[in-house]
Structures are given as C-alpha cells and as structure tokens.
Amino acid sequence: MPAFNELVSKYKKRRHDTVVDAVAAGLSLADNVSADLGLLEDTGIAAETLEAVSNVLPFSVIAVDEGCRVLMGKKTGVAATSDAAFRMIKTGAAMGVGAAVVAAGAGATVALPAAIGSRVLLDRYRGKALTGHRVHLRTQRLRAIRAAHEGKQVLPDVTVVEKE
C-alpha cells in the first residue's frame, strides 16, 4: 500500500487536468458569449466555423489527452476511458451552467464563475465519493483480517518433557 506522501504527490500531478479542461471550456464559453454579444455578426462563415469548433474543442482536448496517456503507458485503457468520461461530463455540465446563466440574462461576467463553480463542485463530489469508497474497502479488508485472525486457533506453547 502506498504511503500518504506518495498518494499526495500522485494526486497533485492530476491537477493540471483541471486547468487544461477549464481553459478549453473557457475558450468555448468566450466564443459563445462573443457571438451572443454580436461581436462576430459581420464575419459570416467564420462565425459558424468558430462556433462549431469551439463546441467540440473541450471534448477533443480531453480525448486526445487521455489517448496520449494510454499510448505513453501512464494509464490503462479502462482508467483513461473512465477519467475521460468524467472529465467530459464535468466540462459539459460547466458549459451548460455557463450557457444557462448567460441565457438567464445575468451576463458573461457571472457565467464564467458559475461554470468554474460547477466544475469545483463536481470535483469535490468525486473526491469525497472516492475517499468514501477507499475507506469502505479498507474497512472491509480490516474486517477480513480480523476474521482470519480470530479463525486461527493459536495452540498454546507446549513443551515436551521426556520421562526418565
């Protein structure tokens, strides 16, 4: 079992995923906000192309990032698929919250903190859920060790005395 410091260093390395995802989602949100504000009205086909690319950009960044980790041997395919799915759900939820805030008329200045807040909430939920799962597994393991220990019959120390 890894030591606490090893676990902390391992999970600190995962923090860059949040930054990469947030930047990609932020670029997408900025494009959508600029389109809503009318900044790209006169550009024609460029606005349509930019809108299509910006909606797909965060998800393609996630897919490429997780795919590279599998190819480099840092993750298994199953772990990368699971992580990519959660990252995509988190990004989609953040984009949805940001779009809902803009649609509600709160403005772009409120949409970005709302989107980031939804990502943080999902990260905290997942972290607490995984911690709870690990504690449950360790509790089960300790119960199994206790049961195995109680199931063993320890024979008393018997010394053999020879008769003369």
Side-chain angles (χ1 to χ4, degrees):
M1 175 177 303
F4 178 74
N5 291 335
E6 292 173 3
L7 287 174
V8 169
S9 66
K10 176 182 175 185
Y11 287 114
K12 278 186 179 178
K13 290 179 185 176
R14 293 185 179 185
R15 292 287 179 181
H16 74 87
D17 294 344
T18 303
V19 174
V20 170
D21 295 347
V23 167
L27 289 173
S28 177
L29 182 63
D31 170 57
N32 290 335
V33 167
S34 65
D36 290 341
L37 293 175
L39 299 176
L40 297 174
E41 282 297 319
D42 298 330
T43 57
I45 196 163
E48 294 175 15
T49 305
L50 190 57
E51 181 179 344
V53 168
S54 72
N55 287 333
V56 176
L57 176 69
F59 303 105
S60 59
V61 166
I62 292 169
V64 168
D65 186 33
E66 294 295 335
C68 287
R69 290 180 187 194
V70 170
L71 291 175
M72 294 172 58
K74 291 184 176 183
K75 283 187 180 182
T76 63
V78 173
T81 302
S82 172
D83 289 348
F86 179 74
R87 286 173 63 186
M88 287 181 183
I89 289 170
K90 188 170 57 170
T91 299
M95 290 172 67
V97 167
V101 169
V102 169
T109 57
V110 180
L112 191 58
I116 291 171
S118 67
R119 293 181 67 81
V120 169
L121 286 175
L122 286 171
D123 275 337
R124 286 188 181 178
Y125 171 76
R126 184 179 190 204
K128 289 183 181 191
L130 288 175
T131 300
H133 181 69
R134 282 192 298 270
V135 167
H136 177 71
L137 290 177
R138 288 182 181 173
T139 304
Q140 281 182 335
R141 189 169 66 191
L142 287 172
R143 286 185 182 144
I145 290 171
R146 180 185 292 159
H149 186 268
E150 290 173 355
K152 287 184 181 178
Q153 290 187 353
V154 179
L155 298 175
D157 223 358
V158 179
T159 57
V160 178
V161 179
E162 293 183 15
K163 290 186 182 180
E164 293 185 10

